[in-house]
Amino acid sequence: TAQKVYINTLGTFYIAPAHERHSRVKIRTQKSRELLAYLLEHRDGVSRQRIYADLWGESEADVTRLFHTRRGEIRRAFESLGAKNPILRDNDIYKLNMDEIVCDLDIFRQEVENFRKNPVPENAQRVVDRYTGRYLDDMEALWAESSRLQYENDFLQAVETLLDSYRESGERTKTLELLRRCAYLSYRGHRLEAANDSKDKKNR
């Protein structure tokens, strides 16, 4: 199946044509965007009741009506890109059909896996290059917090490897560029220090 929709999750969450990944396509409401992100997070499927609880909490509105309205908004956004409705239903379980979707998170996670298998600076660089921002950074999405922390940690481990490599080779310019990049991505010195402290403890 041809990939028709690109989903960006690291930094700003948005969808775009798979062949033109910077041409953002509007999804009508913020809650529709969050529902799509939520289903992307729960690839194996999730019950409607759990969706209601995580996305609408104790809302007194007609949540069933809101849910189906938001599903429709996602469907129309995908159809505008020539793709089918991505939300599948099996009894009361909903999941995202990834057949026509390509996602930056999947590419990042593959680079992380490559780095774990072979933690050389070249693989660390690929992880750092793919991490373009905090996961779902423009959403509150408390349900995504554990994943955010995991991807941040993956990024920091790659940063540590690169910094060690730069120090050993005396590449001060690259060290400063990488530290500036971390600052741009909202990382502060104490976070890098904390990661290094944790690494030191493991090596003791």
Side-chain angles (χ1 to χ4, degrees):
T1 303
Q3 294 173 329
K4 297 179 180 178
V5 179
Y6 169 73
I7 300 181
N8 194 89
T9 65
L10 297 171
T12 303
F13 181 87
Y14 66 88
I15 69 170
H19 64 280
E20 197 172 346
R21 299 182 180 184
H22 296 293
S23 299
R24 303 182 185 187
V25 171
K26 182 177 178 58
I27 300 177
R28 186 169 177 271
T29 63
Q30 176 70 10
K31 189 58 74 172
S32 299
R33 294 171 68 248
E34 186 178 359
L35 175 58
L36 178 58
Y38 185 85
L39 293 172
L40 189 66
E41 172 79 3
H42 298 85
R43 302 283 182 95
D44 293 333
V46 61
S47 71
R48 183 166 56 181
Q49 292 306 314
R50 185 176 173 194
I51 296 172
Y52 290 178
D54 287 345
L55 269 62
W56 280 277
E58 301 300 323
S59 174
E60 296 181 358
D62 184 349
V63 175
T64 297
R65 181 182 61 81
L66 291 175
F67 171 65
H68 289 298
T69 299
R70 303 308 166 230
R71 283 178 61 204
E73 290 169 355
I74 293 170
R75 174 180 55 79
R76 286 189 289 275
F78 271 66
E79 287 175 348
S80 74
L81 294 172
K84 298 176 183 177
N85 181 4
I87 301 177
L88 303 178
R89 176 185 177 186
D90 183 7
N91 292 321
D92 204 36
I93 299 298
Y94 292 82
K95 66 184 299 185
L96 206 60
N97 182 358
M98 298 295 296
D99 288 349
E100 297 181 305
I101 296 171
V102 58
C103 180
D104 67 332
L105 180 62
D106 294 340
I107 300 169
F108 170 75
R109 290 166 68 177
Q110 182 59 58
E111 296 296 358
V112 169
E113 185 64 26
N114 294 338
F115 172 63
R116 287 174 178 164
K117 292 177 179 177
N118 188 19
V120 296
E122 292 80 8
N123 288 342
Q125 184 66 60
R126 294 187 182 97
V127 172
V128 169
D129 289 344
R130 290 294 183 181
Y131 192 84
T132 54
R134 191 167 180 256
Y135 179 53
L136 306 180
D137 196 34
D138 60 339
M139 292 185 188
E140 184 176 359
L142 298 179
W143 46 265
E145 195 60 27
S146 62
S147 293
R148 283 184 179 127
L149 294 174
Q150 177 61 58
Y151 303 143
E152 287 175 0
N153 186 59
D154 293 335
F155 169 74
L156 286 174
Q157 288 180 358
V159 166
E160 289 171 18
T161 295
L162 282 181
L163 288 176
D164 288 344
S165 174
Y166 294 160
R167 291 187 189 107
E168 289 175 5
S169 58
E171 296 181 89
R172 178 176 172 78
T173 300
K174 287 186 176 180
T175 298
L176 293 175
E177 287 176 355
L178 181 55
L179 291 174
R180 276 196 292 268
R181 171 116 192 275
C182 292
Y184 176 76
L185 292 172
S186 300
Y187 289 95
R188 296 296 179 262
H190 72 276
R191 301 197 69 168
L192 286 171
E193 289 168 8
N196 285 325
D197 288 344
S198 175
K199 184 178 178 182
D200 289 342
K201 289 177 182 177
K202 290 180 181 178
N203 293 332
R204 286 174 188 167

